[in-house]
Amino acid sequence: MKNVYFLLIAINCLCFWNSTYAQPQKPVSLAERLGYPAGTKLLIIHSDDLAVAHSENMASFKAMSEGSVRSASVMVPCPWLPEVAAYAKSHPNHDLGLHLTLTSEWLPYKWGPVASQNEVKSLVDSAGYFYDNCAALAMAAKPEEVEKELRAQIEQAKKLGIHPTHLDSHMGCLFQNPVLFSTYLKLGREYGVPAMISRDFLGELGPSFTSVVTEQDVVVDHIYTAAPEDYTKGMNQYYLNTFKNLEAGVSVLLIHTAANDAEMDGMTTGNIACPAWCAAWRQVDFDFFTSDLCRKSLADQQIKLITWREVGKLLKSTPKK
């Protein structure tokens, strides 16, 4: 009888072990880590390119205060940075990240590094400006000079009172190769803010990129942004379709808000990409994301707007190793 008794105990223990430890645990989603049910649609509407122009600043500030935009990112090398710094000081709970910038793509409007040019010679062309495309940058740039320049941009922003809530990459140049990508993640970890990356984007980049991502990094589920063909077909329809088809999880929608005025027209004239990301495009973005149509669509699709500041709190609670 004793043998039967001990056998039953052993079986019960084994069943408990299998049910508790042996079964694979479903990973906790980012939405759940943020305190939301797993099926919630969370979206960061994020305006790029602050500091590139006065028009860009004014439209973005208004889209954040009166529209559906909740976050923005700042180009530290650009001349309208002091205006953004003044905004940041008067809005201490701002959700401003840094649009880490290593290119200067507009003609005839150009800018160069924040660090001394003598210290980052590989990042500039013969005229002392950043290259106008990511491929040229990646071919010429020395990794240590990239890090020096990006660090200078972050420190300059902080010096002016802009305390970044996240980092992202202007034109995606820091995704050109794994070395640049590693530098990008390294700075996010060091400064304690998310460096924007997504599961779908990492899937496209491949193992050499995914292998450098660690548990210290925050990976959102999806990143969306309109392409030139979307502008041709109609931006409002693109955004409405994006909202309609948004999946559960944490997504980011990248936009550009400015007025179609003389300043923006002068800044973007001469760029071969126009009308892509040029003055008229940015006006359309501003109009949509300050509209009742946008607000209604978000409500109809039960989309919850969040910020990078909210996401960044996860890093504050994650012990560093």
Side-chain angles (χ1 to χ4, degrees):
M1 191 69 183
K2 282 186 178 181
N3 289 339
V4 174
Y5 177 73
F6 286 119
L7 179 61
L8 289 173
I9 291 177
I11 291 172
N12 285 334
C13 289
L14 182 60
C15 291
F16 175 78
W17 173 269
N18 284 334
S19 63
T20 306
Y21 300 105
Q23 297 301 317
Q25 299 296 308
K26 183 179 179 182
V28 178
S29 68
L30 181 56
E32 290 172 298
R33 290 174 61 197
L34 291 169
Y36 296 95
T40 310
K41 300 176 184 178
L42 301 172
L43 181 62
I44 301 173
I45 300 180
H46 178 281
S47 188
D48 279 352
D49 293 1
L50 268 69
V52 78
H54 172 67
S55 176
E56 192 86 24
N57 290 347
M58 292 297 100
S60 299
F61 298 157
K62 189 170 184 178
M64 286 190 284
S65 64
E66 300 179 16
S68 299
V69 177
R70 293 293 180 270
S71 297
S73 59
V74 185
M75 299 175 71
V76 174
C78 293
W80 283 91
L81 179 65
E83 185 172 64
V84 181
Y87 172 88
K89 288 179 180 177
S90 63
H91 296 77
N93 292 320
H94 64 75
D95 197 61
L96 299 178
L98 298 187
H99 203 42
L100 297 174
T101 302
L102 295 170
T103 47
S104 178
E105 71 274 25
W106 301 107
L107 293 172
Y109 180 44
K110 308 297 288 182
W111 54 80
V114 173
S116 168
Q117 285 197 19
N118 290 331
E119 297 180 337
V120 292
K121 291 180 180 179
S122 70
L123 306 186
V124 297
D125 60 19
S126 59
Y129 299 117
F130 284 140
Y131 295 102
D132 64 5
N133 67 89
C134 295
L137 163 74
M139 185 172 294
K142 296 179 179 179
E144 65 273 17
E145 294 185 5
V146 169
E147 182 172 340
K148 185 181 290 290
E149 171 58 22
L150 298 182
R151 196 178 295 279
Q153 291 182 21
I154 297 170
E155 292 298 329
Q156 176 69 356
K158 293 178 67 178
K159 180 180 177 181
L160 292 175
I162 303 170
H163 301 289
T165 56
H166 69 284
L167 305 177
D168 58 68
S169 175
H170 181 53
M171 296 175 66
C173 289
L174 293 170
F175 306 129
Q176 285 289 299
N177 59 57
V179 175
L180 294 178
F181 184 62
S182 294
T183 300
Y184 173 59
L185 296 182
K186 173 186 175 181
L187 290 170
R189 294 168 195 152
E190 182 176 327
Y191 284 94
V193 296
M196 184 171 65
I197 48 175
S198 67
R199 284 193 300 103
D200 49 5
F201 197 49
L202 285 173
E204 295 175 9
L205 291 172
S208 59
F209 288 81
T210 57
S211 63
V212 300
V213 178
T214 74
E215 61 183 15
Q216 297 179 55
D217 306 306
V218 175
V219 181
V220 302
D221 296 297
H222 306 287
I223 297 174
Y224 300 94
T225 190
E229 55 267 28
D230 299 311
Y231 179 77
T232 302
K233 295 175 183 177
M235 294 287 271
N236 283 17
Q237 194 57 51
Y238 169 78
Y239 292 128
L240 291 173
N241 287 339
T242 299
F243 293 164
K244 182 178 179 181
N245 297 312
L246 195 72
E247 297 179 9
V250 180
S251 299
V252 181
L253 177 59
L254 304 177
I255 66 169
H256 304 80
T257 46
N260 186 8
D261 57 15
E263 182 190 25
M264 289 304 298
D265 186 58
M267 184 191 109
T268 57
T269 296
N271 190 278
I272 59 173
C274 284
W277 301 287
C278 295
W281 174 310
R282 294 170 191 247
Q283 179 72 65
V284 170
D285 273 6
F286 173 80
D287 291 344
F288 179 79
F289 287 96
T290 55
S291 70
D292 290 335
L293 175 63
C294 176
R295 281 185 282 269
K296 183 178 185 305
S297 180
L298 290 167
D300 289 346
Q301 300 302 328
Q302 298 183 311
I303 295 171
K304 167 73 174 175
L305 297 181
I306 62 170
T307 65
W308 278 112
R309 182 178 292 279
E310 185 175 346
V311 173
K313 289 179 181 178
L314 294 177
L315 297 179
K316 305 296 188 291
S317 61
T318 302
K320 294 186 177 180
K321 296 188 175 181

